[in-house]
Amino acid sequence: LAVLDAAVYFLLPPVPGIELTVTVTAPEAVRRERLVRHQGLTDRQATARIVAQRSMAAAWDRADVVLINDGSVADLERAAHRLWERLGE
């Protein structure tokens, strides 16, 4: 098992041997709030970053699995754990 954290993965040429891709995303409003709270961006800066990433949304949708991260860290951990268990079946 290898995990690759690569936001631009789908913009690159296909990588041989990759068996599963997982995208973790969140609604724009949640992303904006987190950028302001955790990264110290202004609302305007956060919005600009989100707008710049919109073109990547279609690429992210190509993932085999999409996890929506609109809750707490614990919620995302549970979702990842459920995915891990599902993959082990």
Side-chain angles (χ1 to χ4, degrees):
L1 170 68
V3 176
L4 174 66
D5 180 4
V8 297
Y9 172 82
F10 290 108
L11 301 179
L12 303 172
V15 178
I18 301 297
E19 296 179 18
L20 178 79
T21 57
V22 179
T23 292
V24 179
T25 189
E28 286 188 8
V30 173
R31 292 167 49 205
R32 183 179 299 103
E33 188 271 331
R34 289 175 178 166
L35 287 167
V36 169
R37 183 167 23 119
H38 298 296
Q39 302 294 322
L41 274 62
T42 66
D43 189 62
R44 185 178 182 148
Q45 291 169 322
T47 298
R49 181 178 292 185
I50 290 167
V51 168
Q53 293 173 340
R54 281 186 185 151
S55 64
M56 299 201 42
W60 294 336
D61 287 342
R62 292 178 28 215
D64 299 305
V65 177
V66 177
L67 297 179
I68 306 300
N69 181 16
D70 59 356
S72 66
V73 171
D75 293 334
L76 181 59
E77 288 173 347
R78 282 190 292 276
H81 186 25
R82 284 191 301 272
L83 173 61
W84 181 255
E85 287 177 338
R86 198 171 82 212
L87 294 174
E89 294 177 355

